[in-house]
Amino acid sequence: MITDRIDKLIWSANPSNLFPVHSLYEGLVPSPGSLIWGNAAPHKVQFLGWLA
């Protein structure tokens, strides 16, 4: 079965629908500050993560 449709990927994380690698990184990896300070770990553990 042959159709005339074009199969293509659309990257919705970027308004231009292009795929820059930094948009993937920004979507998958939150900012380092939110990883360390924005969780339910005790403050001492968060501080140890910040030191590392």
Side-chain angles (χ1 to χ4, degrees):
M1 183 167 124
I2 298 174
T3 61
D4 293 333
R5 293 186 220 164
I6 297 173
D7 188 19
K8 66 178 184 175
L9 295 173
I10 296 176
W11 184 248
S12 61
N14 192 359
S16 67
N17 291 333
L18 298 175
F19 178 72
V21 174
H22 73 272
S23 69
L24 174 66
Y25 182 78
E26 289 172 354
L28 293 177
V29 179
S31 66
S34 67
L35 282 175
I36 295 171
W37 303 111
N39 57 37
H43 292 295
K44 290 180 181 180
V45 174
Q46 291 177 356
F47 181 72
L48 180 62
W50 178 75
L51 287 175

